[in-house]
Each structure stands twice: as structure tokens, then as C-alpha cells.
């Protein structure tokens, strides 16, 4: 029989983890339960975090956003967070069904550390810092530092994901992905774009086409030099297509049971071109 401990505070959770650092941490359970139902995981003890109020808090500052690890996809969709981070809301909308979005959390998506995790490209594009808490206190890591491989993180024994802090940008944002059907599907390729007007930069991140969540730095620099930042113009179909090709060139997909590498690379080009035109189109959430 599995022993389940329900934490009521971060301190209580950390105290439990200090005594049993190998205990399984349960947030929404949307990924963990799939593994259990398939017989891929067996649990001896679990600490559930759904009743920890600190993990459900979020705030919107002038320059940065803070989202607790327990904030659900539904909250990202149905609050002012959706206006402050529209690409994050777009990513949340693509996750599963309403019951899954009601249970699944930002911290859970990070903890699973799958390259196909829908929120992760958005976090990369928004320069997110992952706030961890544990026996040695808090530490903040970039997504690149936190996610060290496919479904592998740098979480130390006794640590948990406490929150995520990210840039609050005024420019347009987009998250687009492709899968074998229109809903309730794992991403085969994903693209996140975020416009930083102050820095005159288009930030680009890729999902499900590498072992991590890469920023397409060369494509970012190339397109940033070709936009009229005073008016927000200069993005036509020719520029968008070239940008898409450059984004695709910075991906490193593989062949697997869900897609071929060639199709993933082609999809990145199409999605990136489409996203760029959307973020700079008048009448959308882009540069207007």
C-alpha cells in the first residue's frame, strides 16, 4: 500500500522531504498517473502538494511575473495571467482536456522535463528563472540549467520546485504546436515567440525538436536586424519564410514513433513563419 502524505505548507513539505528525500512528489498527477497506469512506476510513498497555498500564488509586476509551481493550466487561461503572458495561455490551452487542465500544474510540467512539454518553450522565450527550495535554501536557475536532459532535471534530494519567475513583456507573443490530431495530443513540434520591444528583440524557443528546449539565437539575431522597430513593420511573407527556414535549421529533431525528423523540421519552419507574421500583424496580440 502506498503511503500518502498531504502537505499543507512549503515548510511542511520540505520537512517531509528532508526525512525522506526519495519520496515521490505529486502535483497534479497528470503525468505520474499515466506511468502508474501503464505499470511503469511503482510507488512506496508520496507527498501531495495540491493543498499548499503558497504554490498556488501568482503575481504580475511591471517587469517580471511570478507563478507558483502549483498554478494550474486553467488558472493560466482564465485570469489576468493570460493577458500578461498570452503565449503561456496559448500553451496551456493545448494541454489535454478541461479535467487535465484543472489538475495539471506549471511545476508538474517542469518536473516531468519532457522536451514536448507545452509550457517550456514559452518559459525559455520569456527568460524564466526556476525557483527551487530545499535543505540549503532557495536557488534560482535558468530553464537550460534546470533541465539537463530528456526527462532529467538538476533537482537535488530534498528539493522541490517552488515558483517560476519570467519577463513581463509588452510585445506580441505566440505559441504554436503540431500533433497528429487537433486536441489532446503530445506536441510533435512547437514554437514560442515573444517580442521584447525595449530590447528590440524577437525571442524564439523550440519544443519537441531537441533533447532540451533551445533558444534559436541565430534566427533571433537575424530577424531582429530586419524589423523596423519604430513602426513594427517589415515582416512580409518573404521575410517570414526565410525566418522559418532559419528556425528549422536550428532544430535537431529525431525520428520516433510519433514523427520523422524531416517532418518535424519542416513543421518548425511553417510554425515559425506563421508565428512571426502573427506577432507583427495589426489587430492581433502583436506589435500594434
Amino acid at each position: 500500500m502506498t503511503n500518502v502524505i498531504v502537505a499543507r505548507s512549503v515548510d511542511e513539505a520540505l520537512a517531509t522531504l528532508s526525512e525522506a528525500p526519495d519520496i515521490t512528489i505529486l502535483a497534479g498527477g497528470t503525468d505520474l498517473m499515466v506511468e502508474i497506469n501503464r505499470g511503469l512506476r511503482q510507488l512506496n510513498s508520496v507527498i501531495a502538494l495540491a493543498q499548499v497555498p503558497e504554490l498556488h500564488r501568482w503575481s504580475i509586476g511591471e517587469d517580471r511575473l511570478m507563478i507558483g509551481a502549483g498554478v494550474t493550466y486553467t488558472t493560466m487561461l482564465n485570469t489576468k495571467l493570460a493577458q500578461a503572458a498570452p503565449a503561456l495561455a496559448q500553451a496551456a490551452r493545448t494541454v489535454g482536456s478541461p479535467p487535465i487542465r484543472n489538475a495539471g500544474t506549471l511545476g508538474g510540467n517542469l518536473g516531468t522535463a519532457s522536451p514536448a512539454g507545452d509550457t517550456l518553450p514559452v518559459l525559455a522565450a520569456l527568460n524564466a528563472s526556476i525557483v527551487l527550495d530545499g535543505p540549503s535554501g532557495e536557488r534560482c536557475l535558468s530553464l537550460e540549467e534546470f533541465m539537463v536532459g530528456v526527462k532529467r532535471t538538476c533537482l537535488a534530494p530534498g528539493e522541490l520546485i517552488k515558483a517560476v519567475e519570467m519577463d513581463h513583456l509588452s510585445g506580441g507573443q505566440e505559441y504554436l504546436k503540431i500533433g497528429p490530431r487537433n486536441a489532446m495530443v503530445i506536441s510533435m513540434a512547437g514554437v514560442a515567440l515573444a517580442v521584447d520591444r525595449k530590447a528590440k528583440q524577437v525571442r524564439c524557443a523550440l519544443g519537441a525538436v531537441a533533447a532540451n528546449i533551445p533558444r534559436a539565437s541565430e534566427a533571433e539575431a537575424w530577424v531582429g536586424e530586419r524589423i523596423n522597430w519604430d513602426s513594427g513593420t517589415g515582416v512580409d511573407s518573404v521575410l517570414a519564410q526565410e525566418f522559418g527556414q532559419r528556425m528549422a535549421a536550428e532544430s535537431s529533431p529525431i525520428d520516433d514513433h510519433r514523427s520523422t525528423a524531416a517532418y518535424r523540421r519542416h513543421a518548425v519552419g511553417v510554425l515559425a513563419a506563421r508565428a512571426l507574421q502573427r506577432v507583427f500583424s495589426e489587430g492581433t496580440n502583436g506589435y500594434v
Side-chain angles (χ1 to χ4, degrees):
M1 180 179 293
T2 302
N3 178 38
V4 179
I5 299 171
V6 179
R8 306 290 179 179
S9 69
V10 168
D11 288 343
E12 184 180 331
L14 292 176
T16 301
L17 288 170
S18 68
E19 297 174 1
D22 294 330
I23 192 172
T24 299
I25 299 174
L26 175 67
T30 57
D31 291 324
L32 179 63
M33 293 308 299
V34 171
E35 295 182 354
I36 293 172
N37 291 336
R38 290 180 176 175
L40 302 177
R41 287 280 291 272
Q42 290 185 340
L43 307 179
N44 294 320
S45 56
V46 172
I47 179 168
L49 303 180
Q51 301 301 315
V52 178
E54 299 103 304
L55 300 183
H56 294 275
R57 294 171 183 162
W58 53 272
S59 61
I60 301 174
E62 183 176 351
D63 297 317
R64 296 283 279 176
L65 309 175
M66 187 284 294
I67 305 179
V71 170
T72 65
Y73 300 115
T74 297
T75 299
M76 295 179 225
L77 278 171
N78 297 330
T79 62
K80 291 183 179 180
L81 278 175
Q83 297 176 337
L88 193 62
Q90 290 170 344
R93 188 175 293 111
T94 72
V95 176
S97 60
I100 294 296
R101 293 194 289 271
N102 288 340
T105 65
L106 183 61
N109 211 210
L110 278 164
T112 298
S114 167
D118 287 306
T119 66
L120 306 190
V122 179
L123 299 186
L126 295 179
N127 288 341
S129 296
I130 318 304
V131 182
L132 309 179
D133 206 347
S136 301
E138 287 189 5
R139 59 180 180 140
C140 295
L141 303 175
S142 68
L143 182 60
E144 183 180 11
E145 293 170 324
F146 174 77
M147 185 176 169
V148 297
V150 177
K151 297 191 175 182
R152 293 172 50 229
T153 74
C154 70
L155 271 172
E159 279 190 320
L160 57 77
I161 304 168
K162 189 174 181 179
V164 181
E165 297 176 354
M166 66 200 76
D167 289 344
H168 183 193
L169 302 179
S170 59
Q173 298 179 21
E174 279 286 333
Y175 173 75
L176 298 174
K177 80 175 189 182
I178 191 169
R181 58 178 185 257
N182 289 333
M184 297 180 63
V185 64
I186 297 174
S187 174
M188 295 194 309
V191 170
L193 261 64
V195 176
D196 184 346
R197 296 186 188 183
K198 292 181 180 179
K200 298 182 178 180
Q201 180 186 32
V202 179
R203 303 181 189 173
C204 321
L206 300 169
V209 291
N212 54 6
I213 308 295
R215 284 276 292 270
S217 57
E218 293 183 10
E220 288 182 354
W222 181 87
V223 76
E225 294 174 351
R226 286 159 175 79
I227 292 169
N228 185 333
W229 289 101
D230 292 330
S231 64
T233 61
V235 177
D236 57 20
S237 60
V238 175
L239 181 78
Q241 291 298 322
E242 175 67 17
F243 171 71
Q245 292 173 12
R246 290 173 178 271
M247 285 281 286
E250 293 194 59
S251 67
S252 52
I254 61 171
D255 295 320
D256 63 14
H257 65 285
R258 291 188 291 116
S259 177
T260 65
Y263 181 76
R264 283 188 165 104
R265 190 173 287 108
H266 170 75
V268 166
V270 174
L271 296 176
R274 189 175 298 169
L276 184 70
Q277 289 187 295
R278 287 186 181 181
V279 296
F280 286 100
S281 294
E282 187 173 358
T284 69
N285 66 340
Y287 197 120
V288 294

